[in-house]
Amino acid sequence: NDELVGMLAAFAAAPCYSDDLMTWDMLVYVHPSRRRGWIFPAMVEKYVEWAVETGAKQIFLTHLLFQ
């Protein structure tokens, strides 16, 4: 269905010290009622797919909070 249950925001950039493209996550959220399921792993999988397609040499996932 079209229910919004989570989001992951990320960006790609080449830092000033390298010409290599890198990706970073900026925000990760999963609705509390969905935190024990497959939503977060699915979002991470899509993030990694996007980063690889973008040509990132390094992929960072830094906003992890387990409750």
Side-chain angles (χ1 to χ4, degrees):
N1 66 34
D2 294 331
E3 180 184 8
L4 180 62
V5 295
M7 63 182 139
L8 190 154
F11 70 97
C16 62
Y17 55 84
S18 174
D19 291 331
D20 291 339
L21 193 64
M22 302 176 188
T23 62
W24 291 267
D25 63 309
M26 298 183 303
L27 174 125
V28 177
Y29 175 79
V30 176
H31 190 275
S33 68
R34 301 298 181 103
R35 290 186 182 165
R36 302 247 183 240
W38 55 268
I39 300 294
F40 179 73
M43 289 192 313
V44 171
E45 183 178 326
K46 289 295 183 184
Y47 167 58
V48 171
E49 286 177 14
W50 167 79
V52 169
E53 290 171 4
T54 302
K57 301 286 184 189
Q58 292 187 4
I59 303 168
F60 297 96
L61 184 63
T62 58
H63 289 86
L64 297 178
L65 176 62
F66 296 98
Q67 296 181 356

